[in-house]
Amino acid sequence: MTDTQEVQEKHVTGATIWLTGLPSAGKTTIAYELADRLRAEGHRVEVLDGDEIREFLSAGLGFSREDRHTNVQRIGFVAELLASNGVKVLVPVIAPYADSREAVRKRHRTEGTPYVEVHVATPVDVCSVRDVKGLYAKQAAGEISGLTGVDDPYDEPADPDLRIESQNQTVRESAARLHALLTEKGLA
């Protein structure tokens, strides 16, 4: 057996790691940092970026409560499918409604697929300063409405597996905390 085969066989347990939080909280940045680390350890990893999913899988959906729920369920389905086939699936998606996230968790539980919920709990005032997409500025200028956590609800997770306050640590430290949790759960 080659070293590559040994590493590939070592990491066959998939899981969905859902990073929820406000826009510009740091979800995607943390996910890509963790993905690099997991790949270096020999894991099969996919990042289901919310913006890319909206463009391709959920094109045509708006931002109503129903459309947001549909978007989250589609992402949850794809994540569970990949995870059940041995992939570590990192999902940096806002998923603002607790009932939508719970439905995804339930799907995973029913299928026997590991699921980890991470709340990237960056305060709205920090997110609005980061404003990587200019959404907070557009909302403040009246150009858009329905911004999660500002003029549209965000249900903070009551009991996430991990809460990361990204404003108090580096991206590498945030990813390391999440990696430690995955290790503790036997997933890394």
Side-chain angles (χ1 to χ4, degrees), residues 13-17 79 82-84 86-90 108 113-116 182 187:
T13 301
T16 295
I17 300 96
L82 289 167
S84 69
V87 178
K88 300 292 186 298
V89 186
L90 305 176
H108 282 71
T113 305
Y115 179 86
V116 176
L182 295 177
L187 299 171

Side-chain angles (χ1 to χ4, degrees), residues 4 8 17 32 34 43 45 54 68 78-79 84 88 92 95 97 107 123 127 130 132 150-151 164 167 177 179 187:
T4 303
Q8 287 175 342
I17 300 96
Y32 279 107
L34 179 60
H43 295 273
V45 180
R54 275 247 175 221
R68 288 177 192 241
V78 172
S84 69
K88 300 292 186 298
Y97 305 117
R107 168 184 286 284
C127 294
R130 291 178 180 172
V132 293
V150 177
D151 61 351
I164 293 175
Q167 74 278 9
R177 282 193 61 214
H179 187 274
L187 299 171

Side-chain angles (χ1 to χ4, degrees), residues 10-170:
K10 180 180 173 186
H11 301 297
V12 294
T13 301
T16 295
I17 300 96
W18 198 291
L19 294 92
T20 179
L22 298 175
S24 297
K27 301 175 300 297
T28 302
T29 306
I30 294 166
Y32 279 107
E33 178 75 22
L34 179 60
D36 289 345
R37 182 170 178 175
L38 291 171
R39 284 185 186 112
E41 295 173 353
H43 295 273
R44 295 172 53 209
V45 180
E46 287 295 332
V47 177
L48 298 182
D49 183 289
D51 293 332
E52 292 176 2
I53 296 293
R54 275 247 175 221
E55 183 179 348
F56 298 105
L57 185 63
S58 295
L61 289 179
F63 292 91
S64 68
R65 190 180 209 303
E66 182 179 327
D67 282 356
R68 288 177 192 241
H69 179 77
T70 299
N71 184 50
V72 168
Q73 297 316 296
R74 287 178 183 178
I75 296 168
F77 173 80
V78 172
E80 194 284 321
L81 184 65
L82 289 167
S84 69
N85 283 283
V87 178
K88 300 292 186 298
V89 186
L90 305 176
V91 186
V93 173
I94 295 169
Y97 305 117
D99 60 338
S100 296
R101 293 190 307 267
E102 183 53 35
V104 171
R105 180 188 297 275
K106 184 178 179 185
R107 168 184 286 284
H108 282 71
R109 191 179 309 121
T110 299
E111 297 298 326
T113 305
Y115 179 86
V116 176
E117 183 177 74
V118 179
H119 179 205
V120 182
T122 310
V124 70
D125 58 322
V126 174
C127 294
S128 67
V129 170
R130 291 178 180 172
D131 203 11
V132 293
K133 298 175 195 163
L135 297 174
Y136 292 92
K138 289 178 182 176
Q139 191 277 336
E143 296 172 22
I144 64 168
S145 62
L147 181 59
T148 301
V150 177
D151 61 351
D152 206 58
Y154 176 73
D155 302 335
E156 288 194 12
D159 191 26
D161 296 290
L162 179 64
R163 191 175 313 278
I164 293 175
E165 295 180 355
S166 70
Q167 74 278 9
N168 297 329
Q169 56 195 18
T170 66

